């Protein structure tokens, strides 16, 4: 109950909306079929699991921790902490796009 009170009393909801906008702006690539977001949770949808797996492996080798959804293996999972800064989030998004380019070139 106390944790929910902190979240609702602060401006966290506005901060999360702003960070979600960063995800939507920065995660642009022709190989991404769709982006599904719910706050800072995101799923990048690719053509199939093999494409997604290549991107995930590239992300891991570039210091990003991610995986796929069991119910949607074609989707790369993004779930940064709520405390991530805008600059850190932008950098993470740029790394993901770089990894997409490198994995699928």
């Amino acid at each position: 109950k106390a944790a929910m009170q902190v979240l609702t009393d602060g401006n966290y909801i506005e901060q999360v909306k702003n960070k979600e906008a960063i995800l939507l702006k920065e995660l642009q690539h022709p190989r991404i079929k769709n982006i599904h977001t719910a706050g800072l949770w995101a799923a990048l949808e690719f053509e199939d699991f093999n494409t997604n797996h290549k991107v995930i492996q590239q992300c891991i080798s570039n210091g990003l921790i991610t995986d796929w959804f069991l119910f949607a293996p074609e989707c790369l999972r993004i779930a940064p902490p709520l405390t991530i800064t805008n600059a850190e989030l932008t950098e993470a998004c740029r790394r993901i796009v770089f990894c997409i380019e490198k994995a699928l070139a």
Side-chain angles (χ1 to χ4, degrees):
K1 184 176 175 182
M4 183 58 80
Q5 191 68 40
V6 168
L7 289 173
T8 56
D9 285 351
N11 65 347
Y12 295 101
I13 294 171
E14 190 63 33
Q15 288 180 30
V16 169
K17 286 180 184 178
N18 291 338
K19 290 175 183 177
E20 181 179 28
I22 291 171
L23 288 173
L24 292 169
K25 177 184 173 215
E26 295 293 333
L27 293 173
Q28 298 293 318
H29 191 277
R31 297 294 293 269
I32 297 172
K33 289 182 65 177
N34 203 348
I35 301 174
H36 309 277
T37 60
L40 283 178
W41 288 336
L44 300 184
E45 183 180 347
F46 293 100
E47 181 179 341
D48 55 28
F49 172 74
N50 289 332
T51 302
N52 187 32
H53 192 259
K54 288 177 188 177
V55 173
I56 288 170
Q57 293 305 313
Q58 191 65 48
C59 285
I60 291 170
S61 68
N62 280 275
L64 298 169
I65 300 171
T66 189
D67 60 7
W68 61 88
F69 297 91
L70 292 176
F71 59 86
E74 71 282 0
C75 292
L76 181 142
R77 181 183 184 139
I78 300 172
L82 293 175
T83 57
I84 194 168
T85 67
N86 290 354
E88 291 168 334
L89 185 58
T90 299
E91 174 60 26
C93 289
R94 290 180 180 162
R95 278 189 182 190
I96 292 168
V97 171
F98 170 80
C99 290
I100 294 168
E101 270 303 312
K102 195 165 180 183
L104 304 179

